[in-house]
Amino acid sequence: MIRFFRASRMTAVWGSAAGAFAGAAAAWMFYPGDGGTKAVLALVAAALAVNVCLYIAKIIAVRRYQEILLLLYEKLDPEAFLAQALPLLDRKAGTADRVTHAVHVANGYLAKGEPDAAIALLKRQQVPEQAAALRGLVASNLGTACLQKGDRAGAAAALEELKQVIRSRHCKEKFREKARRIIAYQQICLDVLNGKRGRLKELEQDYENTKSPFHKLSVGRFLEKVRRSKKLAV
């Protein structure tokens, strides 16, 4: 995530360089030992300075990123969010940061009422098999996007992918517990899309009880789509 923002990148690169030089120079000049000891201390001081600068750079990046996420998840302003988040898709990043950011951008598209864009972005994500939690994150959000679109086949396929993830030997129990709740919830949504009116009340209760502005928006739109549909069983 450090690479996402100029301020964090500059802190990591130039701060580390300057800090390493200053730390090494201070250790060399002021420690009253022999040359070998001074050299060791200079290396330790330089390494410590680099780690401190990287830590500061990470804090800067995380805080800036949180400001961007608040535009979507709290202020419900997908246009403002996407304006700042879309350029970050092209930045170099590790797999976890890259995929997680793509999921947030997909949520931005959903909040904007563009499920097709969200689905296309999520399907482009390439996640290693051993990264079970990331695979599950993509699958669960793909399921949500398909449900928002009203694509029952796509939602069912995403739900099956999520079930496969939790059966994987790479999946940790903590994620399995979360994924099982997601599977149960998305199954309710899929049942409703398939015409089972009896399960609609569960979603209406969720809409009334949720404290998340983004989730309320998502459930509200889904309920609106379902109520307009003529496929619900009487």
Side-chain angles (χ1 to χ4, degrees):
M1 189 176 294
I2 289 175
R3 295 181 179 180
F4 278 1
F5 307 103
R6 186 177 185 277
S8 53
R9 292 198 305 272
M10 293 300 99
T11 299
V13 175
W14 295 110
S16 294
F21 177 79
W28 184 267
M29 292 175 61
F30 298 112
Y31 184 76
D34 58 58
T37 304
K38 281 187 174 184
V40 172
L41 286 176
L43 288 173
V44 171
L48 180 61
V50 169
N51 285 329
V52 169
C53 287
L54 290 176
Y55 178 73
I56 294 172
K58 184 176 181 179
I59 291 176
I60 292 172
V62 168
R63 287 182 176 176
R64 181 70 187 93
Y65 196 62
Q66 287 175 341
E67 291 174 359
I68 295 175
L69 293 182
L70 285 175
L71 293 173
L72 175 63
Y73 295 111
E74 294 295 330
K75 297 183 179 180
L76 296 181
D77 190 345
E79 288 82 5
F81 167 76
L82 290 172
Q84 298 191 47
L86 282 174
L88 301 182
L89 287 174
D90 298 325
R91 300 279 167 83
K92 292 182 179 180
T95 300
D97 286 341
R98 172 181 57 80
V99 173
T100 302
H101 181 63
V103 168
H104 289 309
V105 172
N107 284 340
Y109 282 132
L110 287 180
K112 197 178 176 184
E114 299 178 2
D116 286 324
I119 291 170
L121 177 59
L122 291 169
K123 285 185 174 181
R124 289 200 301 269
Q125 301 312 303
Q126 297 180 352
V127 185
E129 182 181 355
Q130 62 270 25
L134 281 180
R135 287 176 55 211
L137 179 66
V138 172
S140 64
N141 280 268
L142 180 58
T144 298
C146 290
L147 289 167
Q148 289 287 336
K149 182 182 177 180
D151 178 2
R152 289 177 290 175
L159 197 58
E160 183 56 36
E161 170 66 16
L162 186 54
K163 291 177 181 178
Q164 290 180 11
V165 168
I166 67 173
R167 290 194 293 265
S168 167
R169 62 185 177 86
H170 301 293
C171 188
K172 296 182 179 179
E173 187 58 35
K174 183 177 180 180
F175 182 77
R176 280 196 181 97
E177 293 176 4
K178 179 180 179 181
R180 289 187 183 106
R181 292 193 294 269
I182 294 172
I183 289 170
Y185 186 84
Q186 291 193 352
Q187 186 62 60
I188 293 173
C189 295
L190 190 56
D191 287 345
V192 169
L193 275 184
N194 285 328
K196 297 182 180 179
R197 184 183 290 272
R199 309 215 70 178
L200 190 59
K201 191 168 186 61
E202 296 174 70
L203 298 181
E204 292 172 338
Q205 289 176 344
D206 180 48
Y207 175 80
E208 293 297 331
N209 296 332
T210 183
K211 292 181 172 58
S212 165
F214 179 82
H215 186 62
K216 183 176 282 286
L217 174 66
S218 178
V219 177
R221 283 185 172 172
F222 180 75
L223 288 172
E224 183 180 356
K225 175 182 288 292
V226 167
R227 286 165 182 155
R228 290 200 308 265
S229 173
K230 296 180 180 180
K231 294 182 180 180
L232 282 177
V234 178

